[in-house]
Amino acid sequence: MPFRIIRNDITKVEADAVVNAANSSLLGGGGVDGAIHRAAGPELLEECRTLGGCETGQAKITKGYNMPCRYIIHTVGPVWQGGGSGEKGLLYSCYEKSLQLAKEYNCESVAFPLISSGVYGYPKDKALQVAVSAITEFLSENDMDITMVVFDKNAVLVSENILDNVRKYIDDNYVEEHSDNAGRSTFVAGFSMIYEKMPEDVCCAPARFSFDKLDESFSQALLRLIDEKGMTDVQVYKKANIDRRLFSKIRSDVNYKPKKQTAVAFAIALELDIPETQDLLEKAGYTLSNSIKFDVIIKYFIENRNYNIYEINETLFSFDQSLIGV
Ligand code: APR
């Protein structure tokens, strides 16, 4: 998955490069800076001493030493002063310069903390929006696995309003399933439950399952839908946050069976409605069921026609669910 958001201690994350939220002296500090220096060991500070500091919005690179990475990219975020002192541009530049350095050093994977959102006081939701826009802009032209590593639950914010709506939707729709063959009964129950709840004009809609497509594989259905939606392969796998290599595997293997999160990611990228999503998932042996919280959250976003994969992933993350994409 080219971009994912995970909750972890960044010093534990393996990547070609790990980005440090440093200060302009580059001589260490608290927060991420302190954690990275402790994990990397004293040689990191020795190399940092040779760099002559770093300006806000810029980035410099050192070796990774004892950290599980080849390089550490040190960038200095802006201190939040209310938003009127160019903070957004400087923060955007931190991601941009760090990614340029990572590309220059042939890194295939980079892990970021949420820069400036700690000691420097940048509101976390605003900081995340800047990070996501800078990272997605970079990914529209480049291939790299980028991970946003957030250290606490509150760091990954969708608007409280969305979270409240999803909470209510889960209360109204989520049905605990306690059967020992939950998988099968969920499959069956979920399916019938969905169709029980579907409005008449949908559940009996003709042709959604047009029988000539019954033996269509997931891969064939996906390629057909890409054509029907007038999209290109690149548009779809980038919007689905799916790695190019995985997409070409699916394209070339007519019987490829993706993970459920991958199949759902394609449904979101194609902006399918519920019946179309069920149809596509079924080709890979899955369904959206009311007894799986992940499924209920996905149904919420599809029924509300919100196909913003970052909001979906941030919401899934907030409910401790796996994220969509590979
Ligand atoms: N792993 C991942 N994220 C972390 C970790 C960790 N081990 N520790 C803290 N964070 C998160 C914080 O929760 C926050 O969301 O990183 C984000 C950035 O927080 P800071 O580390 O305080 O960085 P920043 O806000 O950019 O302030 C930089 O703080 O540590 C000093 O020397 C640093 O002066 C500089 C200033």
Side-chain angles (χ1 to χ4, degrees), residues 9-10 21 23 29-33 114 116-120 124 151-152:
D9 172 347
I10 201 165
N23 58 54
V32 168
D33 203 0
L114 201 51
S116 280
S117 67
V119 167
Y120 283 0
K124 291 190 192 297
F151 197 51
D152 51 51

Side-chain angles (χ1 to χ4, degrees), residues 274-293:
I274 294 280
E276 290 171 321
T277 299
Q278 291 291 20
D279 215 6
L280 180 63
L281 290 182
E282 225 188 282
K283 309 288 182 192
Y286 304 118
T287 183
L288 288 182
S289 147
N290 279 358
S291 55
I292 300 174
K293 204 167 275 186

Side-chain angles (χ1 to χ4, degrees), residues 44-295:
L44 174 60
L45 183 57
E46 276 168 40
E47 184 174 356
C48 284
R49 287 191 203 288
T50 67
L51 298 178
C54 182
E55 281 173 38
T56 301
Q58 298 301 313
K60 292 193 176 176
I61 195 165
T62 65
K63 292 192 205 75
Y65 298 104
N66 302 332
M67 277 273 289
C69 57
R70 286 168 36 211
Y71 301 107
I72 297 170
I73 294 173
H74 307 263
T75 190
V76 182
V79 176
W80 179 253
Q81 302 173 60
S85 315
E87 295 97 319
K88 186 174 177 183
L90 286 167
L91 184 59
Y92 190 98
S93 171
C94 285
Y95 289 96
E96 206 176 33
K97 299 288 186 218
S98 300
L99 287 166
Q100 278 165 7
L101 264 180
K103 184 178 175 184
E104 216 176 288
Y105 281 72
N106 302 314
C107 296
E108 291 187 0
S109 56
V110 183
F112 280 98
L114 201 51
I115 300 163
S116 280
S117 67
V119 167
Y120 283 0
Y122 211 112
K124 291 190 192 297
D125 55 339
K126 291 182 172 41
L128 187 61
Q129 276 162 11
V130 174
V132 168
S133 60
I135 290 167
T136 40
E137 176 57 33
F138 176 84
L139 285 175
S140 64
E141 305 288 328
N142 300 278
D143 270 335
M144 196 180 282
D145 283 342
I146 301 173
T147 303
M148 172 58 71
V149 184
V150 289
F151 197 51
D152 51 51
K153 201 153 185 60
N154 311 324
V156 181
L157 287 177
V158 285
S159 67
E160 261 319 302
N161 180 42
I162 287 188
L163 290 183
D164 288 343
N165 291 342
V166 172
R167 257 182 224 108
K168 189 177 170 330
Y169 188 86
I170 289 172
D171 291 346
D172 295 347
N173 292 279
Y174 176 52
V175 177
E176 289 276 350
E177 175 77 34
H178 296 298
S179 128
D180 52 3
N181 57 353
R184 199 181 56 74
S185 61
T186 302
F187 184 92
V188 175
F191 207 56
S192 55
M193 213 178 289
I194 297 263
Y195 277 80
E196 262 157 36
K197 292 228 164 122
M198 285 266 165
E200 195 54 30
D201 63 324
V202 171
C203 84
C204 310
R208 287 273 192 211
F209 299 100
S210 48
F211 287 96
D212 63 340
K213 297 192 186 102
L214 267 189
D215 55 356
E216 196 181 32
S217 72
F218 174 83
S219 168
Q220 289 165 331
L222 175 64
L223 299 178
R224 168 177 56 81
L225 285 164
I226 292 175
D227 288 344
E228 286 175 5
K229 300 291 178 181
M231 296 176 78
T232 65
D233 292 358
V234 177
Q235 281 172 330
V236 170
Y237 72 70
K238 286 218 178 240
K239 207 171 154 204
N241 236 338
I242 298 291
D243 184 277
R244 171 178 47 80
R245 289 155 294 194
L246 174 58
F247 182 82
S248 41
K249 216 188 281 178
I250 295 173
R251 168 177 265 290
S252 54
D253 174 358
V254 72
N255 297 315
Y256 187 89
K257 184 174 178 330
K259 289 192 305 190
K260 186 170 186 177
Q261 288 84 345
T262 303
V264 168
F266 281 120
I268 295 295
L270 290 160
E271 301 196 0
L272 302 184
D273 60 23
I274 294 280
E276 290 171 321
T277 299
Q278 291 291 20
D279 215 6
L280 180 63
L281 290 182
E282 225 188 282
K283 309 288 182 192
Y286 304 118
T287 183
L288 288 182
S289 147
N290 279 358
S291 55
I292 300 174
K293 204 167 275 186
F294 170 89
D295 293 7

